Amino acid sequence: MQISLIRPDDWHLHLRDDDAMASVVAHTAERFARAIVMPNLKPPVTTTAMAMSYRERILAALPQNSDFTPLMTLYMTDHLSSDEVIAAKNSGIIKGIKLYPAGATTHSDAGVTDIRRCYPALETMQKEGLPLLIHAEVTDPDVDIFDREQVFIDRHLQPLTRDFPALPMVFEHITTKQAVDFVRANEGRLGATITVQHLLYNRNAMLVGGIRPHFYCLPILKRESHQRALIEAATSGESHFFLGTDSAPHPQHAKECACGCAGCYTAYAAIELYAELFEQVDALERLEGFASLFGPDFYGLPRNRETITLEKREWVAPESYQFGQDRVVPLGSGETISWQLVR
Ligand code: DOR
Ligand code: ZN
């Protein structure tokens, strides 16, 4: 069996930099036409000039004849100026500004300490129509890690949607039923990306029978009832839910250690894994909307014209891939994947 769909885009991706980036970018470029590239490098991508040079490095690392287009983002800080927002918008290459609460996740220490400090920049983004992409988790040590998303909704997303009614916002990598409900309640104003790991797994995959660090990402995998809400949302055909892998490669040794870092590497088989999930719930006909249509519609970008084909043919995910000087272990390594990209 084969299925064809309009070539998808990845609306949330970590590509890293230098050799590491060069060893993973082809996985994404083979499958996706475009990707929103996250700015959490070290140091973070905080200016248009930095984003332009990062974009050049990505283009230089692509395989020959690749027509993949990286869509760049800036990293929001307490000090982002309105002039920088306007420069970003006018650059034509920057499609959003990413808000990481300081300390929420990998390379977020330069993130926002108090969202009110960003209000001048947010006013300008609203005026310019430049989307705000949100890592929606509070960082307060007194909030349980499994509750950090829903607390962020009440404390920060509610006020943000009230204070910036015309600012396009993407609620990134949603992981809870509360997030699904919030996106629906704000229909037309809010988009949301959903990763494949949050669709395929719940926290049991990470914790039952031993700690499996390759399932550790942020926001963390939640309980099964949330997973079911996410599956229902992704396969609903509602246009506010679209594909964003949050594929986030780390060297093997940085994940398999006493304090392993957050991030699942899924780019190597991203669309195949989403197909697996959509097939499991008998919703393959809804995959194209989620993967290829709703994202560009939200961002006001043209839909892709070419198609890709997936074939139902089993293969085994490799134990690891080259990652700069290191190896990266993909999510699902050693497992059978039932779909293959036809090349
Ligand atoms: O698991 C994650 N990894 N979540 C994030 O928000 C960042 C990402 C990374 O950059 O590794
Ligand atoms: Zn991310």
Side-chain angles (χ1 to χ4, degrees):
M1 180 172 72
Q2 291 196 337
I3 55 166
S4 288
L5 57 152
I6 293 183
R7 192 161 166 215
D9 303 301
D10 184 350
W11 299 97
H12 186 133
L13 176 68
H14 298 269
L15 277 180
R16 314 306 188 202
D17 209 348
D18 304 320
D19 291 358
M21 180 250 290
S23 39
V24 295
V25 67
H27 283 156
T28 293
E30 256 189 312
R31 293 166 175 78
F32 297 97
R34 299 169 286 196
I36 287 275
V37 179
M38 288 296 148
N40 62 332
L41 303 182
K42 268 208 137 140
V45 179
T46 50
T47 66
T48 298
M50 291 170 90
M52 284 177 153
S53 84
Y54 184 29
R55 180 172 179 275
E56 291 305 318
R57 296 196 296 282
I58 296 167
L59 293 175
L62 286 172
Q64 265 186 349
N65 304 323
S66 174
D67 55 358
F68 174 75
T69 304
L71 306 172
M72 308 310 291
T73 58
L74 290 191
Y75 187 108
M76 174 77 84
T77 66
D78 291 354
H79 314 289
L80 181 71
S81 69
S82 288
D83 286 350
E84 199 59 62
V85 171
I86 292 167
K89 173 71 184 188
N90 290 342
S91 74
I93 63 154
I94 293 172
K95 301 301 175 194
I97 300 186
K98 179 73 186 282
L99 189 164
Y100 289 102
T105 187
T106 307
H107 298 169
S108 65
D109 19 302
V112 170
T113 62
D114 179 347
I115 293 177
R116 277 163 304 192
R117 297 214 166 108
C118 306
Y119 269 39
L122 294 173
E123 290 287 354
T124 311
M125 288 166 66
Q126 178 167 255
K127 216 178 294 159
E128 299 287 324
L130 188 60
L132 177 68
L133 317 182
I134 307 170
H135 183 113
E137 286 193 290
V138 296
T139 54
D140 313 42
D142 54 316
V143 177
D144 188 277
I145 187 166
F146 291 100
D147 299 334
R148 288 180 171 195
E149 184 174 274
Q150 64 194 76
V151 173
F152 190 97
I153 295 172
D154 300 335
R155 285 194 196 163
H156 302 298
L157 269 188
Q158 287 281 12
L160 273 173
T161 49
R162 179 194 64 218
D163 296 343
F164 298 96
L167 175 63
M169 297 185 208
V170 184
F171 190 162
E172 297 291 347
H173 41 51
I174 60 171
T175 65
T176 58
K177 176 162 190 329
Q178 286 83 353
V180 169
D181 293 343
F182 187 79
V183 173
R184 285 187 168 140
N186 288 274
E187 189 180 350
R189 328 211 5 209
L190 206 62
T193 52
I194 307 183
T195 78
V196 77
Q197 66 266 24
H198 292 101
L199 293 172
L200 284 175
Y201 303 107
N202 59 61
R203 62 195 188 180
N204 280 3
M206 178 176 61
L207 294 171
V208 172
I211 292 183
R212 294 189 184 75
H214 297 292
F215 289 86
Y216 176 62
C217 64
L218 289 171
I220 199 161
L221 293 175
K222 306 295 193 296
R223 63 167 62 244
E224 195 205 344
S225 54
H226 293 296
Q227 180 194 4
R228 271 193 263 117
L230 296 172
I231 294 172
E232 192 273 322
T235 60
S236 65
E238 292 168 44
S239 61
H240 26 256
F241 301 112
F242 45 87
L243 185 157
T245 63
D246 200 16
S247 178
H250 289 277
Q252 182 169 10
H253 61 79
K255 296 224 23 114
E256 297 176 7
C257 60
C259 185
C261 44
C264 299
Y265 185 60
T266 54
Y268 76 105
I271 192 65
E272 298 90 324
L273 292 170
Y274 281 105
E276 194 125 331
L277 181 276
F278 275 68
E279 186 187 26
Q280 275 171 24
V281 297
D282 202 14
L284 267 180
E285 78 286 355
R286 300 253 167 96
L287 179 61
E288 186 177 60
F290 177 78
S292 313
L293 307 181
F294 304 153
D297 292 355
F298 179 87
Y299 276 89
L301 294 168
R303 293 174 171 185
N304 296 317
R305 290 167 178 276
E306 61 290 21
T307 58
I308 62 162
T309 299
L310 299 174
E311 182 171 310
K312 189 96 189 275
R313 186 153 42 92
E314 293 190 343
W315 60 295
V316 176
E319 291 300 327
S320 66
Y321 289 98
Q322 194 68 39
F323 186 54
Q325 307 306 310
D326 295 295
R327 308 288 299 176
V328 57
V329 176
L331 190 71
S333 67
E335 304 273 327
T336 300
I337 299 177
S338 47
W339 291 90
Q340 271 192 46
L341 184 69
V342 177
R343 292 178 172 86

